[in-house]
Amino acid sequence: MVAVNSKNNCPYCEGLHGELARMAGVVGYKDLQAAKTVDDCTAIMGDPAVGYARAFANHHRGGNSENENTKKELKTAYQKVVDTHGPEKAKSVEALCWFLAWGSLGGNTVNGVFFEGDRGSFPIIFAIYYAPLFGVIKGINTALAVMPPMPTIFFQGMGVTLTFA
């Protein structure tokens, strides 16, 4: 999550996932947020799924979806996830990357309207609809910043709750 969000520069996502990583005891999450390449991300976390997440962000951000270099990088990184974790987990990782990309696009769109003067009709409608959600995320980010590290069971419980909520 941190690898995708740090590439997309969404303050809501970076704050939320960075604080959750800190609370979960992830070592190197700040290094991951600052990492510049797919190889850096993979090396920091030791998991090709993290490298794939960065390759995904590289490929789908800023009009790179037709770039042959990022396309090849993405395909290679995905195959490493398949080889390491199997095809089902690789599909889950890809789905999570799409979800996170949408979230950061949303956060950046809201910021564009409220803080950068974007006045297009779609961004304004989008911001009006989603601003309350991103306001809640901002509040959660603020609260998480003062929370201590938590045991794994806490995050498993959050996952179950969010799945069925």
Side-chain angles (χ1 to χ4, degrees), residues 36-52:
K36 301 294 182 204
T37 68
V38 170
D39 290 338
D40 290 347
C41 291
T42 303
I44 290 166
M45 300 311 294
D47 189 331
V50 177
Y52 172 76

Side-chain angles (χ1 to χ4, degrees), residues 17 39 60 75:
H17 297 296
D39 290 338
H60 292 288
K75 185 176 181 179

Side-chain angles (χ1 to χ4, degrees), residues 12 15 26 40 51 66 71 76 87-88 91 140 148:
Y12 305 100
V26 172
D40 290 347
E66 297 303 319
K71 194 178 289 186
T76 300
E88 292 305 312
K91 288 178 190 174
I140 291 171

Side-chain angles (χ1 to χ4, degrees), residues 9-90:
N9 298 319
C10 174
Y12 305 100
C13 298
E14 284 184 32
L16 180 63
H17 297 296
E19 289 302 330
L20 289 172
R22 177 194 59 78
M23 288 173 60
V26 172
V27 176
Y29 77 93
K30 287 205 179 265
D31 294 332
L32 186 57
Q33 286 179 319
K36 301 294 182 204
T37 68
V38 170
D39 290 338
D40 290 347
C41 291
T42 303
I44 290 166
M45 300 311 294
D47 189 331
V50 177
Y52 172 76
R54 176 50 67 92
F56 182 94
N58 289 346
H59 182 66
H60 292 288
R61 182 170 184 266
N64 283 334
S65 63
E66 297 303 319
N67 181 307
E68 290 302 318
N69 291 332
T70 63
K71 194 178 289 186
K72 181 180 177 186
E73 179 183 61
L74 183 65
K75 185 176 181 179
T76 300
Y78 186 80
Q79 189 57 51
K80 289 178 183 177
V81 178
V82 171
D83 294 345
T84 303
H85 297 292
E88 292 305 312
K89 177 133 185 205

